[in-house]
Amino acid sequence: MSILVTGGAGYIGSHTCLKLIEAGHEVVLLDNFCNSHRSVLAGLEAIVSKAPVDEAPAKKAPVDKAGAGKTGMGKALVLVEGDVRDAGLLGQVFAAHSIEAVIHFAALKAVGESVQRPLDYYDNNLSGSLVLLKAMREAGVKTLVFSSSATVYGNPTQVPIREDAPLEATNPYGHSKLMVEGILENVCQADAAWRVARLRYFNPIGAHESGLIGENPQGVPSNLVPYIARVAAGKLAKLQVYGGDYPTRDGTGVRDYVHVMDLAEGHLKALEYLHAHGGLLTLNLGGGRGYSVLEVLRMFEQVSASPVAFEVVPRRPGDVAECWADTGAALKILGWKAQRNLATMCLDTWRWQKQQA
């Protein structure tokens, strides 16, 4: 299939693009690079072609008359630089490419930042999704895999969390995801031709085993593991652990961590499922167990052989004590289960981090 991947140069998007290409699909990658880097294209091509990174294409690809960048991977990957809220651009993309399905990653995604900048999050995450859905309707493309989040469960009443758990987001980021989920449910109720998967993932970490692509946020990382990696590499002084008084085994927050390649494989399986089935599918994608902040930190120190300095500071608004997934439905419906353990997640992250300038 020819698949539009919004936010495809981002962390999860880039690894999913790789899995799609390896599966033989053609990918149209749309990104505005607000929290990603063009250099990810070099890493993708190096992995796909098995060529050294310095033989990969230039950082900014030339643009043809259809507005799409030539990445050096031929029809396998086409780059479109732009914003998912640009209805005119989306119309051009659907007109120029025979898009058959969409995987929608494009969104702002930092919980703490969303509390400080709620309007930006609703504008980007909610408005962007609405513009995309309208463009899909106009183009007659009605297959969508949506990047949702475990934040839609709010402060869970029990763990592990199943898909039928109560939904109640505790921050603007989670609210934006929950609102889009509701819109997608309404769309499917109104038109049975839509095929939609809402994938609620927990905490993706790790990198491709080659070390050529990984999580590389702009500025100071807002997520735990890339921050730990930069401290271990000597690029940041110390980690701030938000909250040491949670009712958990060591007082720090417990989260479900899943390797980004496992997550990318989950998106491919969801797309394959939608190709054969109609309707609305809602699934958790996670590792299926919880690790505390300190457990992740100690594991990273072990695999990197580097100390990670830290200090405990007050809790962040909107954070919850414990959150991990029941992934039984994904196993039953998609045949998907996370395969990579915490040590592998940390080791792959460290391999990626060591290759960063």
Side-chain angles (χ1 to χ4, degrees), residues 338-354:
Q339 301 297 318
R340 299 159 177 88
N341 61 22
L342 181 62
T344 299
M345 297 182 222
C346 292
L347 184 60
D348 287 345
T349 300
W350 184 234
R351 185 183 299 112
W352 154 255
Q353 179 62 56
K354 288 191 295 184

Side-chain angles (χ1 to χ4, degrees), residues 222-295:
S222 60
N223 293 334
L224 175 64
V225 173
Y227 204 111
I228 288 177
R230 293 190 187 183
V231 174
K235 295 185 176 184
L236 292 172
K238 60 184 174 181
L239 171 73
Q240 289 187 323
V241 176
Y242 293 100
D245 58 350
Y246 284 108
T248 61
R249 49 187 172 267
D250 61 20
T252 64
V254 172
R255 298 291 183 270
D256 182 324
Y257 295 94
V258 58
H259 197 293
V260 67
M261 290 307 301
D262 281 326
L263 197 57
E265 290 161 7
H267 286 77
L268 179 60
K269 286 187 174 292
L271 189 66
E272 292 169 347
Y273 177 89
L274 293 179
H275 189 62
H277 303 83
L280 178 66
L281 177 68
T282 305
L283 292 174
N284 291 333
L285 294 186
R289 65 159 295 177
Y291 294 97
S292 75
V293 172
L294 292 183
E295 286 171 338

Side-chain angles (χ1 to χ4, degrees), residues 102 104 126 129-130 132-134 136 142-148 176-191 194-199 279-282:
V102 177
H104 181 32
L126 182 58
S129 298
L130 286 170
L132 174 65
L133 288 169
K134 290 178 182 178
M136 290 178 65
K142 297 186 177 182
T143 300
L144 174 71
V145 177
F146 173 60
S147 167
S148 191
S176 73
K177 291 294 185 180
L178 190 54
M179 292 169 76
V180 176
E181 281 203 11
I183 292 167
L184 292 173
E185 182 174 359
N186 295 154
V187 167
C188 290
Q189 290 170 340
D191 184 351
W194 281 86
R195 301 165 180 251
V196 174
R198 304 182 298 189
L199 303 183
L280 178 66
L281 177 68
T282 305

Side-chain angles (χ1 to χ4, degrees), residues 36-50:
S36 57
H37 303 265
R38 292 183 182 85
S39 58
V40 73
L41 301 172
L44 285 171
E45 183 172 0
I47 296 168
V48 171
S49 67
K50 311 302 181 186

